[in-house]
Amino acid sequence: MAEEEHAFGVLSQALQGLTLQDFQEFKTKLLEVQVAGGWNIPKDLLEKATQPCTLASCMGKSYGEDGAMDVAIGLLEEMNQRDLAEELLGEKVKEYQQKYREHVAQKFLWYREVTSCLRENLSISSRYTTLAIARRKHGGEHKAVGTSQGGANSSNGPATTVVTTQTLFKPNEDGQTPQVVVLVGAPGMGKTMTVRKVMVEWAEGTRHTQFDYIFCMDCKDLASTKEASTVELVSKCYPHNRTPGKVLDDQKKILFIFDGFEALGFSLIQPKDELSSNLREVKPLETIVLSLLKRAILPESSLLITTRPTALQSLGRCLEGECHAEILGFPAASRQEFFHRYFENNNKADVAFRFARSNEVLYSLCAIPIVSWMVCTLLEQELSKQKSLVECSKTTTQVTMSYLSWLMKTGRDNLQDLQRFLPKLCSLAADGIWKHKVQFEEDEIKEHGLDQPDLLPLFLNEKVSRKGVDRGNVYSFTHLHLQEFFAAMFYVLEDNEEMVGGSGALQKDISVLLENYSKSRKDLNSMVRFLFGLESQKSIEYADEVIGCRISPQARGDMLRWLQGRHVGTSHPGQVLKVSELDTFHFLLEMNEKSFTQSVLGGLTDIDLQNSKLSLCDQMALSFCIRQWDELRCVTLRGCSFELQDPREEVPRSGASGASEHPYAHKEPHAPIQLLCRALRHPGSHLRVLRLQWCQLDESCCAELGVLLAQHPSLAQLELGDGALGDAGVRLLCEGLQQPSCCLRVLR
């Protein structure tokens, strides 16, 4: 209401600037006005409107606020009252800008996440996390963009400048201010969130103040438009209000954003004489967009184009002097920042981040923003069920499969094509891993049947060759661990079609893969770990029901025999059968099945690890296996160190055994060996010997060992070859030894 009163006040003031004769002429011309959707002012009312304020009120009631201003401006121009018309137009533009800023803030500040109805109203200001963005000056030649493996830690090289959303259009080191910026990123890297951030900062007046207007076009929505003019495109950005013509007059203060440019699917090849230079000329959408890109329309305006790497080649045909900025993902500090922004609770955020940080593969994948979001979502579900993530059932494979499911939904318009595309993609990934390749030539893409422009960008980044270079484009997976995941999937994915690749095609022989890993190819560790994760029953069901592909369970037998054989083979006749490879525990944790774990460990009696730095993830894998291992008799750890669990991550005090809490357990600080000791107290444990030699034990470790001595029914021998226990530590051990349930016979 206040805005309407202001508008009518401005109109009334303009009418007061007319002479009495001009005022009467204005009223006469009003009788001839025809306004679509409005009412003509009756003649008797016009005759009664003898004052400018009365006439302004009549016009407002008949034409509405915008209509009244437009009619007045048109009539004043017709009467050659240009100063008054300019005054009204200036006020209209000022009011439009204010309303448009409010519209932008409302539209872009709040957004809804894709899964949870509980998170319907999320603020971009509270959720947006700093991304690593590298700007490269191209000068007409298209260098490698989008090829970083996880990106955030990649070397930038001499032609690269690190930028932020605030500095995308700031002068570079040469003092040149970029007029056109192409922001490149793989799916899930945060392109649209970055656009939202830019729009909100502009609407709030905190950044990008060099622009009076920023018009953002969502290319997915725009793709359904057949024809339009430039003015109509601008009007789509604020559909509830007509765009005053003067808005586009000051070109240098306008920024156009095309978000998700690849969705338009334009070839952008068009003769120059077909381009448009008229703002109001209606032409095919591709012509209008190309006219903006080639600077035929509004040549002094600025452009920000976000796209997947696949659209770079077509963009390169029509842009000149543009700067390319690549989103590399979350650097290390931003990953932690994102966890805190997601949980909005420092304690939960620290617990979740520590869990992710302890898993090297998972933490590396968290450089991809959408993966960080998925990890947080999954861990939030776990934290809602229990106080601790120590027994979290979400494996790296399950998180990666969730990411694959998200990618499949991104390309859901051609889901069946995607399902046929997947085996070919996996074949390329496996071929690359075997040959130590992370970049693939165009002929390799074609050889594997992957030259499908609608699907390829979902999984691979495209590196566009320089002009004048004969070789084609080069492609790489968005992250090395994703290539390893798809390579593992190659061995277990059922496909009904003949694999493309000719006589030299890779064979699906899991035994060859596992044998090579055992002998010399330790670089295959992540791939083998994914293999075990994919063969879990949960993964098989998830792939079938959610992703729409079938994973064959037949490999489980080969994998079981391989794990059993690698430990039997390391023992001589008459020796005890023991596990001395830490990766065995990780493989079993990734499979995460009790029966499979027991089948592997059945007949083995000892653990013997030496000189290992046991991360929290290592300890979780070890603890998981110990809980399923009833035949375990002896644990020997020599020269091993333990990453300390965060004291803020509470572990259920009842312990895995369900035994009553030891009376002094809660009084001591968390110990590095807490996870190990609590796993050893699992029901059915028959452990007899525990050796922790030169493992940097301290007083807090003695507290945990005291509880273990007091509660374990069969532990008979404890060896602590470490001189750092101290008198207080020894006293804590003695308290455990004095308990009636203690069965220890040897203490060294």
Side-chain angles (χ1 to χ4, degrees):
M1 183 64 71
E3 292 175 353
E4 287 186 8
E5 290 178 359
H6 173 72
F8 296 147
V10 170
L11 177 56
S12 175
Q13 187 175 356
L15 294 177
Q16 288 174 17
L18 295 172
T19 64
L20 184 58
Q21 182 179 351
D22 291 336
F23 184 73
Q24 291 300 326
E25 181 184 352
F26 185 89
K27 289 172 60 177
T28 301
K29 288 182 176 293
L30 273 177
L31 289 172
E32 304 170 3
V33 169
Q34 298 290 331
V35 178
W39 298 91
N40 286 336
I41 303 176
K43 186 175 181 180
D44 58 333
L45 282 181
L46 273 177
E47 290 176 352
K48 294 177 182 178
T50 57
Q51 299 295 323
C53 60
T54 310
L55 182 58
S57 178
C58 285
M59 292 176 67
K61 291 177 181 177
S62 297
Y63 307 134
E65 178 188 342
D66 288 335
M69 294 287 277
D70 288 340
V71 167
I73 291 169
L75 292 182
L76 290 172
E77 287 177 342
E78 189 178 321
M79 294 168 58
N80 208 27
Q81 297 285 341
R82 300 193 182 281
D83 289 344
L84 292 176
E86 283 292 322
E87 181 183 329
L88 276 183
L89 184 57
E91 285 293 330
K92 183 175 175 64
V93 168
K94 190 186 301 182
E95 183 182 354
Y96 172 88
Q97 186 181 50
Q98 179 59 35
K99 287 185 176 180
Y100 179 62
R101 283 184 184 272
E102 293 171 359
H103 169 76
V104 167
Q106 184 178 14
K107 179 179 179 180
F108 289 93
L109 177 60
W110 300 97
Y111 74 101
R112 181 180 299 179
E113 284 188 337
V114 294
T115 55
S116 175
C117 60
L118 298 177
R119 292 182 176 273
E120 288 186 353
N121 297 313
L122 289 171
S123 164
I124 189 74
S125 300
S126 64
R127 179 56 63 85
Y128 181 82
T129 306
T130 305
L131 290 161
I133 305 175
R135 183 169 69 188
R136 297 176 175 87
K137 179 70 173 68
H138 275 237
E141 289 191 357
H142 297 273
K143 301 179 182 178
V145 178
T147 57
S148 55
Q149 299 297 331
N153 300 317
S154 300
S155 174
N156 293 323
T160 298
T161 305
V162 176
V163 295
T164 64
T165 57
Q166 295 91 343
T167 59
L168 280 173
F169 287 93
K170 295 293 184 182
N172 56 28
E173 59 276 5
D174 299 327
Q176 299 293 318
T177 301
Q179 196 176 352
V180 179
V181 174
V182 179
L183 186 61
V184 186
M189 274 292 184
K191 298 183 295 296
T192 296
M193 286 290 278
T194 299
V195 166
R196 281 186 172 274
K197 178 70 170 173
V198 169
M199 295 300 290
V200 170
E201 288 175 338
W202 173 80
E204 293 176 343
T206 57
R207 297 284 190 275
H208 319 293
T209 53
Q210 70 269 39
F211 300 115
D212 284 346
Y213 296 96
I214 301 182
F215 298 111
C216 180
M217 323 283 180
D218 184 334
C219 293
K220 292 190 293 294
D221 295 338
L222 201 60
S224 60
T225 302
K226 302 298 182 184
E227 293 184 329
S229 68
T230 304
V231 171
E232 287 173 346
L233 286 186
V234 170
S235 298
K236 287 178 181 290
C237 298
Y238 190 17
H240 307 301
N241 213 330
R242 282 186 292 178
T243 305
K246 197 173 181 179
V247 164
L248 301 177
D249 285 355
D250 196 349
Q251 300 181 27
K252 292 182 179 180
K253 293 193 173 184
I254 298 173
L255 170 63
F256 289 99
I257 298 179
F258 289 93
D259 183 31
F261 189 82
E262 73 284 343
L264 295 176
F266 292 159
S267 63
L268 300 179
I269 301 175
Q270 206 159 22
K272 193 171 183 178
D273 56 4
E274 292 184 11
L275 300 180
S276 174
S277 59
N278 186 336
L279 292 173
R280 299 187 179 277
E281 183 180 19
V282 176
K283 282 205 167 190
L285 179 65
E286 183 170 0
T287 301
I288 296 299
V289 171
L290 191 57
S291 299
L292 282 166
L293 298 183
K294 281 185 170 289
R295 324 309 281 153
I297 297 178
L298 302 173
E300 295 183 316
S301 64
S302 296
L303 292 173
L304 173 61
I305 303 166
T306 75
T307 181
R308 296 173 184 172
T310 184
L312 286 180
Q313 196 165 22
S314 57
L315 279 170
R317 300 189 188 108
C318 57
L319 296 177
E320 292 184 6
E322 76 279 10
C323 279
H324 283 213
E326 181 185 4
I327 298 181
L328 304 176
F330 285 150
S334 291
R335 290 173 227 180
Q336 187 169 13
E337 177 190 348
F338 179 84
F339 274 67
H340 279 266
R341 287 181 177 274
Y342 181 94
F343 283 98
E344 299 177 345
N345 176 294
N346 286 338
N347 186 36
K348 286 186 177 180
D350 287 339
V351 169
F353 180 74
R354 189 172 180 82
F355 174 85
R357 183 68 182 87
S358 69
N359 185 323
E360 184 180 349
V361 175
L362 189 62
Y363 179 68
S364 179
L365 284 170
C366 282
I368 303 173
I370 189 66
V371 175
S372 277
W373 174 79
M374 288 177 176
V375 169
C376 287
T377 302
L378 293 171
L379 295 184
E380 183 181 41
Q381 295 169 2
E382 292 293 315
L383 286 170
S384 67
K385 301 177 199 173
Q386 55 190 38
K387 291 183 179 179
S388 173
L389 292 179
V390 171
E391 297 181 49
C392 175
S393 61
K394 302 303 179 185
T395 66
T396 307
T397 304
Q398 289 172 346
V399 173
T400 311
M401 291 189 78
S402 296
Y403 176 58
L404 174 58
S405 171
W406 178 83
L407 286 176
M408 301 286 275
K409 290 174 183 175
T410 302
R412 59 184 173 273
D413 292 339
N414 40 16
L415 186 57
Q416 290 184 340
D417 290 341
L418 263 172
Q419 291 165 350
R420 289 190 290 268
F421 183 86
L422 193 57
K424 303 171 186 177
L425 180 77
C426 294
S427 174
L428 176 76
D431 192 51
I433 293 296
W434 278 108
K435 296 176 180 176
H436 300 281
K437 290 185 64 172
V438 296
Q439 292 190 337
F440 305 92
E441 307 287 345
E442 268 193 4
D443 57 352
E444 293 175 283
I445 298 296
K446 293 177 181 177
E447 183 181 336
H448 284 82
L450 296 172
D451 48 337
Q452 300 181 45
D454 292 339
L455 304 179
L456 195 63
L458 293 174
F459 306 96
L460 298 181
N461 286 337
E462 181 180 10
K463 172 182 173 181
V464 182
S465 299
R466 298 183 183 184
K467 292 179 179 178
V469 179
D470 292 335
R471 57 182 284 186
N473 297 338
V474 178
Y475 301 82
S476 64
F477 285 84
T478 52
H479 196 289
L480 175 59
H481 290 317
L482 292 179
Q483 182 178 347
E484 292 169 328
F485 170 79
F486 288 119
M489 187 173 266
F490 165 77
Y491 284 92
V492 296
L493 197 62
E494 290 184 0
D495 57 275
N496 298 322
E497 298 182 3
E498 287 292 324
M499 289 303 300
V500 181
S503 58
L506 198 61
Q507 299 300 311
K508 292 188 175 184
D509 192 335
I510 287 181
S511 299
V512 172
L513 167 65
L514 298 176
E515 183 180 349
N516 273 269
Y517 172 72
S518 293
K519 289 182 176 178
S520 59
R521 290 292 302 271
K522 295 304 179 185
D523 59 298
L524 300 176
N525 177 272
S526 294
M527 182 175 163
V528 174
R529 193 182 299 189
F530 278 129
L531 188 67
F532 277 88
L534 287 167
E535 280 295 304
S536 73
Q537 192 59 40
K538 283 185 179 179
S539 294
I540 292 173
E541 293 173 0
Y542 186 89
D544 185 31
E545 297 170 6
V546 179
I547 299 176
C549 61
R550 297 181 65 83
I551 291 177
S552 171
Q554 294 179 357
R556 291 167 64 98
D558 291 334
M559 294 157 65
L560 174 62
R561 287 186 290 274
W562 174 71
L563 275 182
Q564 290 172 329
R566 74 189 304 225
H567 298 296
V568 172
T570 58
S571 302
H572 300 291
Q575 283 188 329
V576 295
L577 300 180
K578 60 185 178 182
V579 178
S580 55
E581 301 284 350
L582 187 59
D583 57 3
T584 293
F585 303 121
H586 283 288
F587 297 150
L588 293 174
L589 177 63
E590 204 64 35
M591 175 77 78
N592 206 18
E593 288 184 11
K594 181 177 180 179
S595 60
F596 188 89
T597 302
Q598 290 176 335
S599 297
V600 170
L601 299 176
L604 304 177
T605 59
D606 286 31
I607 294 174
D608 188 355
L609 299 177
Q610 299 188 30
N611 302 318
S612 297
K613 293 181 67 174
L614 299 175
S615 68
L616 189 58
C617 187
D618 295 331
Q619 296 173 54
M620 290 169 60
L622 183 61
S623 298
F624 167 78
C625 292
I626 288 174
R627 285 189 170 92
Q628 328 301 330
W629 197 350
D630 291 344
E631 296 177 46
L632 180 64
R633 298 292 184 268
C634 176
V635 174
T636 301
L637 303 179
R638 289 190 178 92
C640 296
S641 60
F642 296 81
E643 179 186 353
L644 182 62
Q645 185 185 352
D646 194 325
R648 288 168 291 186
E649 183 175 355
E650 296 184 18
V651 179
R653 292 294 177 188
S654 60
S657 65
S660 60
E661 183 184 344
H662 195 272
Y664 57 83
H666 66 282
K667 298 178 183 178
E668 304 302 329
H670 280 237
I673 60 171
Q674 184 184 66
L675 295 183
L676 172 65
C677 289
R678 297 196 174 192
L680 291 171
R681 301 204 304 263
H682 79 280
S685 172
H686 296 92
L687 183 74
R688 295 193 56 79
V689 179
L690 176 61
R691 298 187 181 97
L692 300 174
Q693 298 172 335
W694 311 110
C695 292
Q696 304 174 30
L697 305 182
D698 58 15
E699 181 181 329
S700 65
C701 296
C702 293
E704 282 295 332
L705 289 171
V707 176
L708 180 65
L709 291 174
Q711 295 185 0
H712 203 287
S714 62
L715 183 59
Q717 182 173 330
L718 176 63
E719 298 183 18
L720 305 173
D722 202 320
L725 301 180
D727 293 341
V730 173
R731 282 195 294 272
L732 289 170
L733 278 177
C734 290
E735 289 185 41
L737 289 168
Q738 292 170 2
Q739 299 300 314
S741 54
C742 178
C743 299
L744 197 72
R745 296 293 176 265
V746 178
L747 175 62
R748 292 179 182 150

PDB file of all heavy atoms in Angstrom, residues 395-415:
ATOM      1  N   THR A 395      29.346 -47.516   4.319  1.00  0.00           N
ATOM      2  CA  THR A 395      30.688 -47.713   3.789  1.00  0.00           C
ATOM      3  C   THR A 395      30.960 -46.716   2.666  1.00  0.00           C
ATOM      4  O   THR A 395      30.054 -46.059   2.156  1.00  0.00           O
ATOM      5  CB  THR A 395      30.843 -49.141   3.246  1.00  0.00           C
ATOM      6  OG1 THR A 395      29.976 -49.295   2.110  1.00  0.00           O
ATOM      7  CG2 THR A 395      30.482 -50.168   4.307  1.00  0.00           C
ATOM      8  N   THR A 396      32.231 -46.644   2.276  1.00  0.00           N
ATOM      9  CA  THR A 396      32.606 -45.764   1.171  1.00  0.00           C
ATOM     10  C   THR A 396      31.881 -46.162  -0.106  1.00  0.00           C
ATOM     11  O   THR A 396      31.454 -45.307  -0.887  1.00  0.00           O
ATOM     12  CB  THR A 396      34.130 -45.827   0.951  1.00  0.00           C
ATOM     13  OG1 THR A 396      34.791 -45.562   2.187  1.00  0.00           O
ATOM     14  CG2 THR A 396      34.573 -44.817  -0.086  1.00  0.00           C
ATOM     15  N   THR A 397      31.724 -47.452  -0.319  1.00  0.00           N
ATOM     16  CA  THR A 397      31.015 -47.923  -1.510  1.00  0.00           C
ATOM     17  C   THR A 397      29.566 -47.462  -1.505  1.00  0.00           C
ATOM     18  O   THR A 397      29.038 -47.021  -2.539  1.00  0.00           O
ATOM     19  CB  THR A 397      31.071 -49.462  -1.589  1.00  0.00           C
ATOM     20  OG1 THR A 397      32.433 -49.880  -1.567  1.00  0.00           O
ATOM     21  CG2 THR A 397      30.404 -49.966  -2.859  1.00  0.00           C
ATOM     22  N   GLN A 398      28.916 -47.527  -0.362  1.00  0.00           N
ATOM     23  CA  GLN A 398      27.511 -47.114  -0.296  1.00  0.00           C
ATOM     24  C   GLN A 398      27.356 -45.625  -0.567  1.00  0.00           C
ATOM     25  O   GLN A 398      26.417 -45.205  -1.245  1.00  0.00           O
ATOM     26  CB  GLN A 398      26.933 -47.482   1.071  1.00  0.00           C
ATOM     27  CG  GLN A 398      26.742 -48.989   1.252  1.00  0.00           C
ATOM     28  CD  GLN A 398      26.361 -49.365   2.667  1.00  0.00           C
ATOM     29  OE1 GLN A 398      26.471 -48.567   3.581  1.00  0.00           O
ATOM     30  NE2 GLN A 398      25.920 -50.598   2.848  1.00  0.00           N
ATOM     31  N   VAL A 399      28.282 -44.824  -0.054  1.00  0.00           N
ATOM     32  CA  VAL A 399      28.238 -43.386  -0.330  1.00  0.00           C
ATOM     33  C   VAL A 399      28.437 -43.132  -1.821  1.00  0.00           C
ATOM     34  O   VAL A 399      27.734 -42.319  -2.437  1.00  0.00           O
ATOM     35  CB  VAL A 399      29.309 -42.645   0.491  1.00  0.00           C
ATOM     36  CG1 VAL A 399      29.385 -41.183   0.071  1.00  0.00           C
ATOM     37  CG2 VAL A 399      29.001 -42.739   1.983  1.00  0.00           C
ATOM     38  N   THR A 400      29.388 -43.842  -2.419  1.00  0.00           N
ATOM     39  CA  THR A 400      29.667 -43.651  -3.845  1.00  0.00           C
ATOM     40  C   THR A 400      28.488 -44.114  -4.693  1.00  0.00           C
ATOM     41  O   THR A 400      28.167 -43.496  -5.718  1.00  0.00           O
ATOM     42  CB  THR A 400      30.943 -44.415  -4.244  1.00  0.00           C
ATOM     43  OG1 THR A 400      31.990 -44.112  -3.314  1.00  0.00           O
ATOM     44  CG2 THR A 400      31.401 -44.013  -5.632  1.00  0.00           C
ATOM     45  N   MET A 401      27.815 -45.168  -4.278  1.00  0.00           N
ATOM     46  CA  MET A 401      26.636 -45.620  -5.014  1.00  0.00           C
ATOM     47  C   MET A 401      25.497 -44.607  -4.895  1.00  0.00           C
ATOM     48  O   MET A 401      24.716 -44.428  -5.839  1.00  0.00           O
ATOM     49  CB  MET A 401      26.192 -46.994  -4.515  1.00  0.00           C
ATOM     50  CG  MET A 401      27.161 -48.102  -4.881  1.00  0.00           C
ATOM     51  SD  MET A 401      26.534 -49.755  -4.527  1.00  0.00           S
ATOM     52  CE  MET A 401      25.414 -50.002  -5.899  1.00  0.00           C
ATOM     53  N   SER A 402      25.406 -43.935  -3.755  1.00  0.00           N
ATOM     54  CA  SER A 402      24.417 -42.865  -3.620  1.00  0.00           C
ATOM     55  C   SER A 402      24.715 -41.744  -4.607  1.00  0.00           C
ATOM     56  O   SER A 402      23.807 -41.161  -5.206  1.00  0.00           O
ATOM     57  CB  SER A 402      24.423 -42.317  -2.191  1.00  0.00           C
ATOM     58  OG  SER A 402      24.033 -43.297  -1.264  1.00  0.00           O
ATOM     59  N   TYR A 403      25.998 -41.451  -4.785  1.00  0.00           N
ATOM     60  CA  TYR A 403      26.404 -40.429  -5.753  1.00  0.00           C
ATOM     61  C   TYR A 403      26.056 -40.878  -7.171  1.00  0.00           C
ATOM     62  O   TYR A 403      25.550 -40.092  -7.984  1.00  0.00           O
ATOM     63  CB  TYR A 403      27.903 -40.176  -5.621  1.00  0.00           C
ATOM     64  CG  TYR A 403      28.463 -39.197  -6.635  1.00  0.00           C
ATOM     65  CD1 TYR A 403      27.972 -37.897  -6.720  1.00  0.00           C
ATOM     66  CD2 TYR A 403      29.491 -39.571  -7.494  1.00  0.00           C
ATOM     67  CE1 TYR A 403      28.488 -36.999  -7.639  1.00  0.00           C
ATOM     68  CE2 TYR A 403      30.011 -38.678  -8.412  1.00  0.00           C
ATOM     69  CZ  TYR A 403      29.511 -37.393  -8.481  1.00  0.00           C
ATOM     70  OH  TYR A 403      30.018 -36.509  -9.398  1.00  0.00           O
ATOM     71  N   LEU A 404      26.293 -42.152  -7.486  1.00  0.00           N
ATOM     72  CA  LEU A 404      25.939 -42.679  -8.802  1.00  0.00           C
ATOM     73  C   LEU A 404      24.435 -42.577  -9.024  1.00  0.00           C
ATOM     74  O   LEU A 404      23.978 -42.207 -10.113  1.00  0.00           O
ATOM     75  CB  LEU A 404      26.405 -44.132  -8.929  1.00  0.00           C
ATOM     76  CG  LEU A 404      25.982 -44.876 -10.205  1.00  0.00           C
ATOM     77  CD1 LEU A 404      26.477 -44.154 -11.447  1.00  0.00           C
ATOM     78  CD2 LEU A 404      26.495 -46.315 -10.177  1.00  0.00           C
ATOM     79  N   SER A 405      23.655 -42.896  -7.991  1.00  0.00           N
ATOM     80  CA  SER A 405      22.203 -42.781  -8.097  1.00  0.00           C
ATOM     81  C   SER A 405      21.797 -41.347  -8.391  1.00  0.00           C
ATOM     82  O   SER A 405      20.907 -41.089  -9.216  1.00  0.00           O
ATOM     83  CB  SER A 405      21.552 -43.260  -6.794  1.00  0.00           C
ATOM     84  OG  SER A 405      20.175 -42.973  -6.782  1.00  0.00           O
ATOM     85  N   TRP A 406      22.471 -40.395  -7.737  1.00  0.00           N
ATOM     86  CA  TRP A 406      22.177 -38.974  -7.979  1.00  0.00           C
ATOM     87  C   TRP A 406      22.505 -38.598  -9.421  1.00  0.00           C
ATOM     88  O   TRP A 406      21.741 -37.886 -10.080  1.00  0.00           O
ATOM     89  CB  TRP A 406      22.986 -38.124  -7.004  1.00  0.00           C
ATOM     90  CG  TRP A 406      22.802 -36.651  -7.205  1.00  0.00           C
ATOM     91  CD1 TRP A 406      21.797 -35.866  -6.721  1.00  0.00           C
ATOM     92  CD2 TRP A 406      23.654 -35.786  -7.962  1.00  0.00           C
ATOM     93  NE1 TRP A 406      21.968 -34.568  -7.131  1.00  0.00           N
ATOM     94  CE2 TRP A 406      23.099 -34.486  -7.887  1.00  0.00           C
ATOM     95  CE3 TRP A 406      24.832 -35.976  -8.690  1.00  0.00           C
ATOM     96  CZ2 TRP A 406      23.685 -33.389  -8.521  1.00  0.00           C
ATOM     97  CZ3 TRP A 406      25.414 -34.889  -9.320  1.00  0.00           C
ATOM     98  CH2 TRP A 406      24.846 -33.615  -9.228  1.00  0.00           C
ATOM     99  N   LEU A 407      23.628 -39.097  -9.925  1.00  0.00           N
ATOM    100  CA  LEU A 407      23.992 -38.823 -11.317  1.00  0.00           C
ATOM    101  C   LEU A 407      22.957 -39.403 -12.276  1.00  0.00           C
ATOM    102  O   LEU A 407      22.589 -38.770 -13.271  1.00  0.00           O
ATOM    103  CB  LEU A 407      25.368 -39.422 -11.630  1.00  0.00           C
ATOM    104  CG  LEU A 407      26.598 -38.710 -11.062  1.00  0.00           C
ATOM    105  CD1 LEU A 407      27.853 -39.507 -11.384  1.00  0.00           C
ATOM    106  CD2 LEU A 407      26.720 -37.299 -11.616  1.00  0.00           C
ATOM    107  N   MET A 408      22.483 -40.607 -11.967  1.00  0.00           N
ATOM    108  CA  MET A 408      21.487 -41.249 -12.828  1.00  0.00           C
ATOM    109  C   MET A 408      20.187 -40.446 -12.839  1.00  0.00           C
ATOM    110  O   MET A 408      19.536 -40.303 -13.872  1.00  0.00           O
ATOM    111  CB  MET A 408      21.216 -42.678 -12.354  1.00  0.00           C
ATOM    112  CG  MET A 408      22.436 -43.583 -12.332  1.00  0.00           C
ATOM    113  SD  MET A 408      22.985 -44.128 -13.951  1.00  0.00           S
ATOM    114  CE  MET A 408      21.939 -45.542 -14.215  1.00  0.00           C
ATOM    115  N   LYS A 409      19.821 -39.890 -11.684  1.00  0.00           N
ATOM    116  CA  LYS A 409      18.607 -39.071 -11.628  1.00  0.00           C
ATOM    117  C   LYS A 409      18.798 -37.769 -12.393  1.00  0.00           C
ATOM    118  O   LYS A 409      17.860 -37.231 -12.969  1.00  0.00           O
ATOM    119  CB  LYS A 409      18.238 -38.780 -10.171  1.00  0.00           C
ATOM    120  CG  LYS A 409      17.739 -40.003  -9.419  1.00  0.00           C
ATOM    121  CD  LYS A 409      17.518 -39.708  -7.945  1.00  0.00           C
ATOM    122  CE  LYS A 409      17.087 -40.957  -7.197  1.00  0.00           C
ATOM    123  NZ  LYS A 409      16.970 -40.712  -5.738  1.00  0.00           N
ATOM    124  N   THR A 410      20.043 -37.260 -12.390  1.00  0.00           N
ATOM    125  CA  THR A 410      20.340 -36.049 -13.156  1.00  0.00           C
ATOM    126  C   THR A 410      20.073 -36.283 -14.635  1.00  0.00           C
ATOM    127  O   THR A 410      19.611 -35.393 -15.341  1.00  0.00           O
ATOM    128  CB  THR A 410      21.810 -35.636 -12.949  1.00  0.00           C
ATOM    129  OG1 THR A 410      22.040 -35.430 -11.551  1.00  0.00           O
ATOM    130  CG2 THR A 410      22.140 -34.365 -13.704  1.00  0.00           C
ATOM    131  N   GLY A 411      20.366 -37.498 -15.107  1.00  0.00           N
ATOM    132  CA  GLY A 411      20.118 -37.834 -16.508  1.00  0.00           C
ATOM    133  C   GLY A 411      18.904 -38.718 -16.688  1.00  0.00           C
ATOM    134  O   GLY A 411      18.871 -39.578 -17.551  1.00  0.00           O
ATOM    135  N   ARG A 412      17.875 -38.507 -15.851  1.00  0.00           N
ATOM    136  CA  ARG A 412      16.730 -39.420 -15.829  1.00  0.00           C
ATOM    137  C   ARG A 412      15.891 -39.389 -17.106  1.00  0.00           C
ATOM    138  O   ARG A 412      15.080 -40.274 -17.333  1.00  0.00           O
ATOM    139  CB  ARG A 412      15.840 -39.114 -14.625  1.00  0.00           C
ATOM    140  CG  ARG A 412      15.285 -37.705 -14.587  1.00  0.00           C
ATOM    141  CD  ARG A 412      14.489 -37.479 -13.304  1.00  0.00           C
ATOM    142  NE  ARG A 412      14.068 -36.101 -13.149  1.00  0.00           N
ATOM    143  CZ  ARG A 412      14.802 -35.169 -12.578  1.00  0.00           C
ATOM    144  NH1 ARG A 412      15.991 -35.481 -12.124  1.00  0.00           N
ATOM    145  NH2 ARG A 412      14.370 -33.926 -12.463  1.00  0.00           N
ATOM    146  N   ASP A 413      16.065 -38.351 -17.941  1.00  0.00           N
ATOM    147  CA  ASP A 413      15.285 -38.296 -19.174  1.00  0.00           C
ATOM    148  C   ASP A 413      15.631 -39.447 -20.111  1.00  0.00           C
ATOM    149  O   ASP A 413      14.832 -39.825 -20.960  1.00  0.00           O
ATOM    150  CB  ASP A 413      15.515 -36.956 -19.889  1.00  0.00           C
ATOM    151  CG  ASP A 413      14.924 -35.795 -19.097  1.00  0.00           C
ATOM    152  OD1 ASP A 413      14.042 -36.063 -18.260  1.00  0.00           O
ATOM    153  OD2 ASP A 413      15.347 -34.651 -19.314  1.00  0.00           O
ATOM    154  N   ASN A 414      16.835 -39.976 -19.992  1.00  0.00           N
ATOM    155  CA  ASN A 414      17.224 -41.112 -20.833  1.00  0.00           C
ATOM    156  C   ASN A 414      17.842 -42.199 -19.956  1.00  0.00           C
ATOM    157  O   ASN A 414      18.989 -42.595 -20.145  1.00  0.00           O
ATOM    158  CB  ASN A 414      18.195 -40.680 -21.933  1.00  0.00           C
ATOM    159  CG  ASN A 414      19.221 -39.678 -21.428  1.00  0.00           C
ATOM    160  OD1 ASN A 414      19.411 -39.524 -20.224  1.00  0.00           O
ATOM    161  ND2 ASN A 414      19.902 -39.012 -22.336  1.00  0.00           N
ATOM    162  N   LEU A 415      17.052 -42.673 -18.990  1.00  0.00           N
ATOM    163  CA  LEU A 415      17.550 -43.618 -17.993  1.00  0.00           C
ATOM    164  C   LEU A 415      17.978 -44.939 -18.624  1.00  0.00           C
ATOM    165  O   LEU A 415      19.006 -45.509 -18.258  1.00  0.00           O
ATOM    166  CB  LEU A 415      16.471 -43.863 -16.928  1.00  0.00           C
ATOM    167  CG  LEU A 415      16.886 -44.722 -15.728  1.00  0.00           C
ATOM    168  CD1 LEU A 415      18.090 -44.120 -15.025  1.00  0.00           C
ATOM    169  CD2 LEU A 415      15.726 -44.883 -14.756  1.00  0.00           C
TER     170      LEU A 415
END
